Amino acid sequence: LGLALRNERLVSLGRLLAAVETQAAAVYYHAGASPVAWGSASFVPRVYPPRWPRDGVVGNLWGLKAEASTWFGREDYFIFGIQVIPLTPQASEPLLDQKWVAASRASWETSMRRLPAKDETWRAFLVAMLAVVDSGAAWQRAESLGALDAGMTLTNLLHWIATRPPPAGAAAGASQPTLAPPAEEKLEAQARVEGEERLEAALPAAVRVFGTFTEDEVLEAAATAGGGRPRPRGAPPR
């Protein structure tokens, strides 16, 4: 939202909230596998006993209790799978830290191989984790996926895999899947940018600052950017 409104203050606030939540997840759900930056130093807070939680992952976290389980089962593919939901670049890239994914790989990869047919929809989330450490293998597995969870699409998963950076220490020239966007996608991206520019030009000055704006102003701006007539206030959307 901050980027769309060209509002640096809102952008900074969003980045701060995302960073705090990501670090909290690393400490409490990934058992401190990702160092927390503090100035020029970094440290890994230890909030659990040395040999717990199993495989460095927490499923349920309560006020005075942490569990290596979920509401719907104790299998590893459940516990690791919910760490991936939802799969988005903004949230997943900082949360699925390479060191943590690599350190717990034996557990979630074994669980993926043993995943029963009744829980097939969870496989895609584990493939997303595989992409962090081996995007080539993840791409091959993604192409043979069966049923997907309602919150996952094959397009989203393939985009995630194709945009993963090589793991730290990967050999030069290692195969990485790439996606060459077709001409239609380039045209759509260009049209989207042009639409954003028209919307920005139409938005009243009140929207460009971190303040308030009325429903009528938003409707008027959106209609102007789209080349249509303003929708009367209170009228149902088309």
Side-chain angles (χ1 to χ4, degrees):
L1 179 60
L3 292 174
L5 297 179
R6 312 293 203 277
N7 189 315
E8 294 184 3
R9 184 178 177 185
L10 190 57
V11 170
S12 298
L13 176 62
R15 287 174 175 169
L16 173 63
L17 295 176
V20 170
E21 186 167 353
T22 299
Q23 290 188 350
V27 173
Y28 293 101
Y29 283 88
H30 298 172
S34 303
V36 176
W38 186 267
S40 59
S42 64
F43 63 97
V44 179
R46 169 62 65 180
V47 296
Y48 300 112
R51 296 184 63 82
W52 203 94
R54 70 178 190 191
D55 307 318
V57 64
V58 172
N60 286 330
L61 184 61
W62 309 77
L64 296 175
K65 180 174 68 172
E67 298 176 332
S69 64
T70 68
W71 291 101
F72 32 84
R74 297 179 57 86
E75 289 79 4
D76 281 344
Y77 54 83
F78 287 144
I79 304 173
F80 283 102
I82 60 173
Q83 312 298 321
V84 182
I85 303 173
L87 182 64
T88 66
Q90 293 79 7
S92 303
E93 284 187 351
L95 187 59
L96 298 180
D97 177 76
Q98 283 189 357
K99 292 182 179 179
W100 174 72
V101 173
S104 57
R105 180 173 182 174
S107 295
W108 56 257
E109 195 165 34
T110 298
S111 182
M112 179 167 57
R113 289 195 296 266
R114 298 175 179 174
L115 198 150
K118 66 181 181 67
D119 294 323
E120 176 64 25
T121 55
W122 285 86
R123 188 179 304 277
F125 299 114
L126 301 179
V127 171
M129 292 188 68
L130 178 61
V132 176
V133 293
D134 190 342
S135 57
W139 186 277
Q140 293 179 356
R141 296 200 181 206
E143 290 183 317
S144 61
L145 283 174
L148 296 174
D149 183 79
M152 171 69 81
T153 66
L154 185 58
T155 300
N156 186 42
L157 179 60
L158 292 177
H159 175 270
W160 166 262
I161 297 171
T163 54
R164 293 311 85 217
S175 61
Q176 294 289 121
T178 57
L179 286 178
E184 294 83 355
E185 291 186 12
K186 293 182 179 179
L187 290 175
E188 289 180 4
Q190 181 180 352
R192 186 163 54 250
V193 171
E194 292 175 353
E196 291 174 354
E197 291 175 350
R198 290 197 302 271
L199 179 59
E200 171 65 16
L203 286 174
V207 182
R208 298 195 186 98
V209 297
F210 194 33
T212 60
F213 50 93
T214 67
E215 179 184 357
D216 287 334
E217 287 175 321
V218 174
L219 295 175
E220 181 74 31
T224 303
R229 299 178 59 186
R231 177 170 60 89
R233 184 173 183 177
R238 291 178 293 178

